[in-house]
Amino acid sequence: MKKSLGAKIIVCATHVWVVGTYDKTGKPNIMTAAWGGVCCSQPPCVAVSLRKATYSYGSIGERKAFTVNIPSADAVKQTDYVGIYSGRNTDKFSVAGLTPVRGDLVDAPYIQEFPLVLECKLLHTIEIGLHTQFIGEIVDVKAEASVLGENGLPDVGRIIPFFYNPENRTYYKIGEYLGKAHSLGRVE
Amino acid sequence: MKKSLGAKIIVCATHVWVVGTYDKTGKPNIMTAAWGGVCCSQPPCVAVSLRKATYSYGSIGERKAFTVNIPSADAVKQTDYVGIYSGRNTDKFSVAGLTPVRGDLVDAPYIQEFPLVLECKLLHTIEIGLHTQFIGEIVDVKAEASVLGENGLPDVGRIIPFFYNPENRTYYKIGEYLGKAHSLGRVE
């Protein structure tokens, strides 16, 4: 029996991505974004949604670039910090003890200490309502050598990503392996 | 030391959502979508990206509506099945042993057996490349009474969502609780 809960964001879990930008003075900034996701395979694109009120909003518009930095569970406190405060009056990299590195291909900084980073060029800006969606083309992905598995790709068990539960405002680690996609569900 | 992996979709984990639609004859259909996410708080919106080649693509355009159905880990085989085959020549609800229920507020079916469902009205259609992004306004969320916690909201521990790892094409359950958001990272 289903119960109606109304018109709300109730989705159980979202990823936790940290968006990196340079402001107009060249100061590197980061903010945590749980609204977003992959949105296209060719060109490879991700979307992140930000409120106009955020400091990062203006920076993405000006630099036409951002990075997506995927944290490990052991960075949950730093990641939460980055989502609470504004870069308008704080150097969040410095307070969080994180190191900005200039992107190789885009005009945005990434986080040296995070295991997986995506350099993105702004492709589309979609005004939706309270949030504006920025669609960025992934022009390069960089990973720490220590998180790569034998196949040369990032290993979930070494990155240990975590998730945000919007309805209860809580974080959860990734858990147990369930099986192979495009395989478990095959029928004769 | 970071290693460049190229311009690819490498993001460690995405959610696994099942999108419900009616085709032009009124047949209910479902497909699994890992490309998508929340994209706005007001109005509450989610985005799902589909290839034009999918059967669901045309149905969303015609009916201007879809549902997002969030599966529990115990439905991983059914969910994978729904992502492999096309509704063009199969009744996926029937083969998967799932029951379509007409949405209360939108012209799309939801899955009776899944614990959490979102009814969405199409708001924007964004052509990106191989994928088209459909932005839907959430007009109602419905949850099984059995997955609600004491606060009346869905409890992650009762739903047990799972995730897709695009680079290795694998599924993982949600894991351990890490702490409260907007709290862990507070500084003086």
Side-chain angles (χ1 to χ4, degrees):
Chain A
M1 185 64 190
K2 289 208 166 35
K3 191 178 166 186
S4 169
L5 303 176
K8 292 174 192 162
I9 302 287
I10 299 180
V11 296
C12 216
T14 72
H15 51 61
V16 180
W17 287 351
V18 177
V19 176
T21 50
Y22 285 121
D23 76 2
K24 63 181 94 172
T25 73
K27 187 180 87 168
N29 186 32
I30 34 180
M31 72 167 282
T32 304
W35 291 177
V38 176
C39 61
C40 191
S41 296
Q42 289 170 23
C45 291
V46 287
V48 294
S49 285
L50 273 58
R51 286 177 298 111
K52 282 200 178 66
T54 62
Y55 193 54
S56 304
Y57 175 93
S59 303
I60 294 180
E62 281 158 21
R63 303 280 177 149
K64 312 289 185 209
F66 60 92
T67 63
V68 168
N69 301 266
I70 298 179
S72 287
D74 61 10
V76 65
K77 283 189 189 181
Q78 287 163 306
T79 304
D80 192 51
Y81 160 76
V82 166
I84 295 173
Y85 299 93
S86 172
R88 194 164 277 119
N89 36 37
T90 317
D91 178 348
K92 292 199 268 186
F93 268 103
S94 168
V95 175
L98 297 172
T99 313
V101 180
R102 179 169 287 279
D104 288 326
L105 301 175
V106 305
D107 191 11
Y110 66 82
I111 304 173
Q112 185 176 292
E113 290 80 4
F114 279 20
L116 186 63
V117 303
L118 283 59
E119 296 192 35
C120 304
K121 278 191 182 162
L122 184 63
L123 214 56
H124 298 287
T125 301
I126 319 291
E127 300 294 343
I128 305 175
L130 181 63
H131 286 78
T132 300
Q133 180 184 239
F134 295 106
I135 294 178
E137 179 178 347
I138 303 168
V139 292
D140 193 31
V141 175
K142 290 175 170 59
E144 280 299 308
S146 61
V147 302
L148 299 177
E150 287 178 11
N151 62 3
L153 291 168
D155 175 354
V156 171
R158 299 184 197 198
I159 292 191
I160 314 180
F162 62 100
F163 305 98
Y164 174 59
N165 173 266
E167 43 274 23
N168 293 301
R169 297 186 162 204
T170 46
Y171 295 117
Y172 291 83
K173 255 190 209 183
I174 202 154
E176 193 185 324
Y177 171 73
L178 280 173
K180 282 204 162 300
H182 317 302
S183 164
L184 278 180
R186 291 217 168 264
V187 293
E188 285 305 302
Chain B
M1 185 65 190
K2 289 207 166 36
K3 193 179 164 184
S4 169
L5 303 177
K8 293 175 192 160
I9 303 287
I10 298 180
V11 297
C12 215
T14 72
H15 52 60
V16 180
W17 287 352
V18 176
V19 175
T21 50
Y22 285 121
D23 76 2
K24 64 181 92 174
T25 72
K27 187 181 86 168
N29 186 31
I30 35 181
M31 72 167 280
T32 304
W35 291 177
V38 176
C39 61
C40 189
S41 296
Q42 290 170 24
C45 291
V46 286
V48 293
S49 285
L50 272 58
R51 286 176 298 114
K52 281 198 179 68
T54 63
Y55 194 54
S56 304
Y57 176 93
S59 304
I60 295 181
E62 281 159 20
R63 304 279 178 150
K64 310 290 185 208
F66 59 91
T67 62
V68 169
N69 302 266
I70 298 178
S72 289
D74 61 11
V76 66
K77 282 189 190 182
Q78 286 164 307
T79 304
D80 192 51
Y81 161 75
V82 167
I84 295 173
Y85 298 93
S86 170
R88 193 166 277 118
N89 35 36
T90 319
D91 178 348
K92 292 199 266 185
F93 269 103
S94 168
V95 175
L98 298 171
T99 313
V101 180
R102 178 167 288 280
D104 288 327
L105 301 174
V106 305
D107 191 12
Y110 65 83
I111 303 174
Q112 185 177 290
E113 290 80 3
F114 278 20
L116 187 62
V117 302
L118 285 58
E119 295 193 36
C120 303
K121 278 191 181 161
L122 183 64
L123 215 56
H124 298 287
T125 302
I126 319 292
E127 300 294 342
I128 305 174
L130 180 63
H131 286 78
T132 300
Q133 185 189 51
F134 294 106
I135 295 178
E137 178 177 348
I138 302 168
V139 293
D140 193 30
V141 176
K142 291 175 169 62
E144 279 299 307
S146 60
V147 300
L148 299 176
E150 286 178 10
N151 62 3
L153 291 168
D155 176 354
V156 171
R158 298 184 198 200
I159 293 192
I160 314 180
F162 62 99
F163 305 98
Y164 174 60
N165 173 265
E167 43 275 23
N168 293 302
R169 297 185 163 205
T170 46
Y171 296 117
Y172 290 84
K173 254 191 208 184
I174 201 154
E176 197 184 322
Y177 172 74
L178 280 173
K180 281 203 163 301
H182 317 302
S183 165
L184 281 179
R186 291 216 168 268
V187 294
E188 284 305 302

